[in-house]
Amino acid sequence: MNTDTKNVFAPNCSLNMDSHDFVKLGHGSGGTMSAHLLENVFLKTLANPLLNQLEDATVLEIVSDKIAVTIDSYVVSPIFFPGGNIGSLAIHGTINDLAMRGAKPLYIAGSFILEEGLPIDDLKTIIISMQQACDQAKIKFIAGDTKVVNKGAADKIFITTCGIGLIENTFIPSVSKARLGDKVIVSGDIGLHGVAVMCARESFDLETTIESDSAPLNELVDAVLAIHPEIHCLRDITRGGLATVLNEIVSASNVAVEIDESKIPINPEVAAVCAILGLDPLYVACEGRLIAIVPQEQAELVLDIMRKHALGTNAQIIGEVNEATKQRVILKSKIGSKRFLDKLANEQLPRIC
Ligand code: MG
């Protein structure tokens, strides 16, 4: 099958990269400066036989009844934060969206909007992180495009990534498949990514040791699906945090979910920063955590499998699906009172991913 992505990674150019320390408008011209940037920054790191086709579209051979496709844009600010950068985040986020449908991530294509003045060294660091993230998850970067915009027309770098994954299981997890009696499992402590990014912003004078949890979840999902192929729902906890993801699930599945606040794993430092900033950690983004909605009889076994994986050591069963109040998420507080957890009305943390 074909991708329909214009692949502009271009062939040889003899310009010396060292003479250009910053991205210039000419790097987006499509001419020799573009070729030079692509050869010395992108291809130098990302090269592989598929990307090296250097055609308008990369031709892939995939033999499967079903593939999964996803696309996301990344505009995180700052572009470097403890635990990652916009490049690793883009790869992890794309891998995770594929994994949440039970797909084995195979290929990623990326589009880069570069602001005039972006340091070339920063771009190199970001591209190297992307390749490392691809290597870790055993996926290939197979097509790309770059554009350069005038200073002020973008903020340093925006990345859009499209992922393709192979679906081998017959049962496909979905937000619409939560069923009465299912247990709700969270794969680890929540809120690390959002808090790490917020603390990296210059406007917040906070010193913490918190790092983003940004990570590829495909191995963790593989381990679970290998033993229990019928996991009803999988959702990575990203923008809007745990509360938002659960609201998406109860709406799509027409059920209620009740969760127990005392069971939700939250790093004390994350809780402290959230208290200072007036944030509710239940709405703060993660980039390496997931929610699994699992048939009750399989919940303990799934929990065991997750806890054996490095990205699931803090996994917990935090609640269950019932029909108390359909399409609502109910939080049982530490003192036993209950309240609805609503969808986020507004953006709590802009440009977090
Ligand atoms: Mg997602």
Side-chain angles (χ1 to χ4, degrees):
M1 67 170 293
N2 296 340
T3 59
D4 193 24
T5 306
K6 189 181 180 194
N7 187 340
V8 297
F9 285 124
N12 292 331
C13 172
S14 58
L15 279 176
N16 180 0
M17 196 75 226
D18 296 337
S19 65
H20 301 283
D21 293 327
F22 299 92
V23 170
K24 298 182 176 178
L25 285 174
H27 286 124
S29 65
T32 51
M33 282 181 72
S34 295
H36 182 247
L37 180 77
L38 296 164
E39 167 119 339
N40 288 283
V41 177
F42 288 90
L43 271 183
K44 188 178 174 187
T45 301
L46 297 171
N48 64 62
L50 288 167
L51 186 62
N52 296 354
Q53 289 176 12
L54 301 176
E55 299 275 3
D56 282 329
T58 303
V59 175
L60 308 172
E61 289 181 18
I62 301 175
V63 180
S64 174
D65 289 343
K66 292 193 183 74
I67 61 167
V69 179
T70 185
I71 188 164
D72 261 302
S73 292
Y74 295 86
V75 299
V76 65
S77 175
I79 57 175
F80 296 99
F81 47 83
N85 62 51
I86 190 170
S88 52
L89 181 67
I91 301 296
H92 293 157
T94 303
I95 288 168
N96 293 347
D97 278 344
L98 292 171
M100 295 310 114
R101 301 309 311 279
K104 179 183 172 200
L106 292 181
Y107 301 117
I108 285 191
S111 172
F112 299 81
I113 308 290
L114 309 178
E115 184 194 17
E116 180 188 12
L118 175 72
I120 295 287
D121 280 348
D122 285 357
L123 182 58
K124 286 181 176 173
T125 302
I126 288 164
I127 300 302
I128 289 169
S129 297
M130 293 181 83
Q131 183 57 45
Q132 288 169 343
C134 286
D135 287 344
Q136 188 187 356
K138 300 185 183 70
I139 58 163
K140 286 195 169 61
F141 192 97
I142 48 98
D145 182 43
T146 61
K147 296 288 187 303
V148 179
V149 297
N150 302 66
K151 193 157 188 58
D155 188 4
K156 299 180 182 69
I157 178 171
F158 297 154
I159 302 176
T160 299
T161 43
C162 174
I164 297 171
L166 189 65
I167 293 181
E168 291 169 322
N169 286 338
T170 49
F171 187 91
I172 301 174
S174 162
V175 282
S176 65
K177 291 181 178 170
R179 295 291 174 262
L180 271 185
D182 285 356
K183 294 291 184 185
V184 179
I185 299 177
V186 64
S187 66
D189 54 331
I190 60 168
L192 288 168
H193 176 74
V195 168
V197 171
M198 288 304 285
C199 291
R201 288 185 184 164
E202 288 168 10
S203 49
F204 293 101
D205 194 18
L206 287 171
E207 281 195 19
T208 74
T209 60
I210 297 166
E211 292 195 351
S212 168
D213 57 329
S214 178
L217 292 168
N218 56 317
E219 262 193 12
L220 178 67
V221 170
D222 281 352
V224 170
L225 293 183
I227 308 294
H228 295 291
E230 292 201 10
I231 301 300
H232 290 167
C233 309
L234 286 169
R235 196 79 153 171
D236 54 341
I237 306 172
T238 54
R239 252 184 323 186
L242 177 72
T244 299
V245 170
L246 288 174
N247 269 287
E248 290 164 356
I249 291 171
V250 295
S251 293
S253 295
N254 195 30
V255 293
V257 160
E258 184 170 320
I259 56 172
D260 187 339
E261 187 177 23
S262 66
K263 302 273 173 58
I264 301 169
I266 301 178
N267 171 318
E269 211 174 350
V270 167
V273 171
C274 285
I276 291 167
L277 298 179
L279 301 172
D280 183 341
L282 299 180
Y283 292 88
V284 176
C286 315
E287 289 289 347
R289 302 286 182 257
L290 61 80
I291 283 285
I293 309 273
V294 181
Q296 184 176 14
E297 61 278 11
Q298 297 178 3
E300 288 293 339
L301 288 167
V302 169
L303 189 67
D304 280 349
I305 297 165
M306 280 194 186
R307 285 178 172 171
K308 284 181 181 135
H309 191 278
L311 294 174
T313 50
N314 288 324
Q316 296 285 349
I317 296 173
I318 61 166
E320 65 178 18
V321 177
N322 63 33
E323 51 182 1
T325 312
K326 281 188 177 173
Q327 305 202 8
R328 299 304 298 264
V329 179
I330 299 132
L331 179 76
K332 186 175 148 208
S333 76
K334 287 173 183 167
I335 56 167
S337 60
K338 292 185 182 180
R339 67 179 170 93
F340 290 128
L341 272 186
D342 287 319
K343 288 178 186 161
L344 209 52
N346 207 335
E347 182 63 279
Q348 187 177 234
L349 299 170
R351 294 188 59 191
I352 213 74
C353 58

